[in-house]
Amino acid sequence: MQIKIIQEPDEDHLIIRPFEQGSEPGNQEMFKAEKGEMWWYSSRELWLGLGKEPKLPGITKIFRSLFFKRKDRWPTDITLDARGKTAEWVGNAVNGIILGGYNLQLYKTEPKPLSDFFRSGTLFVVGNGHAEVSVAAEAAQKTALVQSRIMDLMNAPANYKKPETLAEWAKKSGEANGYSVQILEKTQLEAQAMHALLAVSKGSAEPPVMIVSEYKPEHYTKTVALVGKGVTFDTGGISIKPAANMHLMKSDMGGAAAVLGTVELAAQLKLPVRIVGVIPSTENAVDGVGMKPGDVIGSYAGKTIEVIDTDAEGRLILADGLHYALKQFQPDVLIDLATLTGSVIQTLGYEAAGLFTPSDNLAADLIKAGDETGERLWRLPVWDEYKEEINSDIADVKNYHGKPLAGAIVAAKFLEVFTAAHPAWAHLDIAGTAFGDTEFAPGRAGTAYGIRLLISYLSKLT
């Protein structure tokens, strides 16, 4: 799809005119401009209701829903009348329009048709401030295309998505977008004493990897390390999960997906921030040689860990990833993302991810970015009173407290042990937001959560 900014609408194209409630044209009793409402004013003019005082993330959802519902029926050329709208508004609308054409039918032999508009059509945008609107539209298009690639990755099943697959994705992206990628294979992980990652991988025939990406602009003042959990399938190991929803555990690499997408998009947008992406990746499978409850394992940080539950594996591989990022890159800011606990879903549902950080400033910046993008965060405590929950009698720390309370908080306290008390560390538990029920898929699907959030945060970091 091409995007062109124009000064006046072309009457030969289908024109979409958005209206907020209270600003809709008079003498149209059938059109109230309610959120998502459509009214065909003529065969060439579609009115779209935005509701009352819509926020920018809502604009994205409204346009995505509109274009998704009719994704096989759009003409090749469409004009969006955005006169009087800000460049930021246009960016959100364009992002939603492109995402409306996302095709989830990854492996169908006879996929449903998609209109030519999404493949080879043109979106004409009538807007004020030609240069600003053009920049916003271009950034929104790049963002949506990266989000779509990440949703493909999230939605792929485990037989199409192994640790090696994530590594190849990163290498190809680095080559295409001008950033460096290093893959630490199993022998290198052994040489570097990545014992926690290696322990989780023991039950799988697929070898683990550590993906290390680095986007380094010519001029920067800050280095941000992003660490993502990359468990490409999670059976729970010996502490095996129930069978009912285990097939959804193809999504347990949502943190890795967010990091991959953020690094790629940051490179495309040429953000003036050095960004390091560290992704420990493995399967967590069941095998006679696999890690067992009660085992004591080592870690890259040199600390010993008593494994109480092999299904609390994400925090184990993140322990090695966090400390590697700290030791090798000395970042100013350290952020990890992981589909880590069911506890955070019980707490926040599917509307927000859990945010854990000792830094009030970092919390405020991330929450603001979440509110701006609609990828919301809610801060939960990391008070030292929770430390006793990870005390072990025989090791430095244990990976699970075994209690039906404060599960997400205790997981964060475990990760904190491996951050060397970094003052600007944040943990994002995205278990409820990275993969879930949406109107855009018949079943649960990937959302690419975290990419817009992090890009918004990073773009303001100086």
Side-chain angles (χ1 to χ4, degrees), residues 54-313:
K55 296 182 179 179
L56 288 175
I59 298 300
T60 302
K61 291 181 181 179
I62 290 168
F63 277 95
R64 182 177 181 185
S65 181
L66 170 67
F67 277 78
F68 173 78
K69 289 173 181 176
R70 298 175 49 83
K71 62 182 178 182
D72 59 339
R73 288 171 285 164
W74 292 110
T76 303
D77 296 324
I78 298 174
T79 295
L80 172 62
D81 189 350
R83 286 174 289 190
K85 306 298 186 183
T86 65
E88 195 173 15
W89 189 98
V90 171
N92 279 266
V94 168
N95 183 258
I97 289 169
I98 297 173
L99 289 179
Y102 173 69
N103 183 15
L104 182 60
Q105 306 170 87
L106 290 176
Y107 308 107
K108 287 184 178 291
T109 55
E110 297 182 4
K112 294 180 180 179
L114 194 66
S115 66
D116 288 339
F117 169 72
F118 294 109
R119 291 190 293 268
S120 56
T122 302
L123 175 65
F124 296 88
V125 179
V126 184
N128 307 103
H130 189 281
E132 290 183 1
V133 169
S134 180
V135 169
E138 182 182 1
Q141 184 177 33
K142 289 178 178 178
T143 300
L145 294 177
V146 171
Q147 288 174 294
S148 297
R149 278 166 44 75
I150 290 302
M151 287 190 286
D152 278 349
L153 202 56
M154 286 287 294
N155 294 325
N159 59 323
Y160 284 86
K161 179 176 63 189
K162 302 172 182 179
E164 182 184 3
T165 309
L166 301 189
E168 287 300 317
W169 194 103
K171 286 193 290 187
K172 290 179 181 178
S173 174
E175 291 169 359
N177 296 287
Y179 63 89
S180 65
V181 178
Q182 179 187 14
I183 308 299
L184 302 182
E185 308 282 357
K186 185 176 181 179
T187 54
Q188 295 167 294
L189 298 175
E190 291 170 339
Q192 297 246 22
M194 300 277 187
H195 297 304
L197 173 56
L198 290 163
V200 173
S201 75
K202 285 170 61 178
S204 174
E206 299 297 331
V209 296
M210 182 83 84
I211 304 164
V212 184
S213 304
E214 184 180 6
Y215 161 66
K216 192 174 183 179
E218 185 176 353
H219 302 288
Y220 66 90
T221 58
K222 298 285 187 182
T223 296
V224 177
L226 305 175
V227 182
K229 173 187 173 184
V231 176
T232 54
F233 194 79
D234 182 17
T235 67
I238 299 298
S239 307
I240 196 165
K241 293 178 181 291
N245 289 314
M246 195 190 291
H247 64 286
L248 300 176
M249 289 300 101
K250 66 183 183 180
S251 67
D252 210 15
M253 36 59 72
V259 172
L260 288 171
T262 299
V263 175
E264 175 171 283
L265 184 55
Q268 292 180 6
L269 298 177
K270 300 185 179 352
L271 296 188
V273 182
R274 180 190 181 209
I275 303 170
V276 176
V278 175
I279 297 171
S281 185
T282 180
E283 289 184 341
N284 185 25
V286 184
D287 189 82
V289 299
M291 178 177 63
K292 299 177 289 296
D295 283 359
V296 174
I297 63 174
S299 66
Y300 181 73
K303 296 183 184 297
T304 56
I305 304 167
E306 182 184 8
V307 178
I308 303 299
D309 190 330
T310 64
D311 194 25
E313 87 299 331

Side-chain angles (χ1 to χ4, degrees), residues 224-227 322 325-326 331-336 362 419 422 424-426:
V224 177
L226 305 175
V227 182
L322 283 164
L326 284 169
D332 299 290
V333 180
L334 175 66
I335 301 172
D336 73 80
L362 180 56
T419 65
H422 196 291
W425 159 71

Side-chain angles (χ1 to χ4, degrees), residues 389-441:
E389 301 291 347
I390 54 172
N391 288 341
S392 168
D393 294 334
I394 60 173
D396 294 327
V397 67
K398 63 184 180 185
N399 79 326
Y400 184 61
H401 66 333
K403 299 177 183 179
L405 51 86
I409 297 172
V410 172
K413 290 304 290 183
F414 176 88
L415 295 177
E416 189 178 36
V417 172
F418 299 90
T419 65
H422 196 291
W425 159 71
H427 161 57
L428 277 55
D429 192 335
I430 63 174
T433 52
F435 194 86
D437 295 317
T438 75
E439 65 175 292
F440 308 110

Side-chain angles (χ1 to χ4, degrees), residues 61 245 248 341-342 344-354 374-376 429-438 444-445 447 449:
K61 291 181 181 179
N245 289 314
L248 300 176
T341 70
V344 82
I345 302 176
Q346 292 174 333
T347 303
L348 299 172
Y350 300 97
E351 298 302 322
E375 296 186 343
R376 291 184 291 184
D429 192 335
I430 63 174
T433 52
F435 194 86
D437 295 317
T438 75
R444 296 188 190 180
T447 65
Y449 178 96

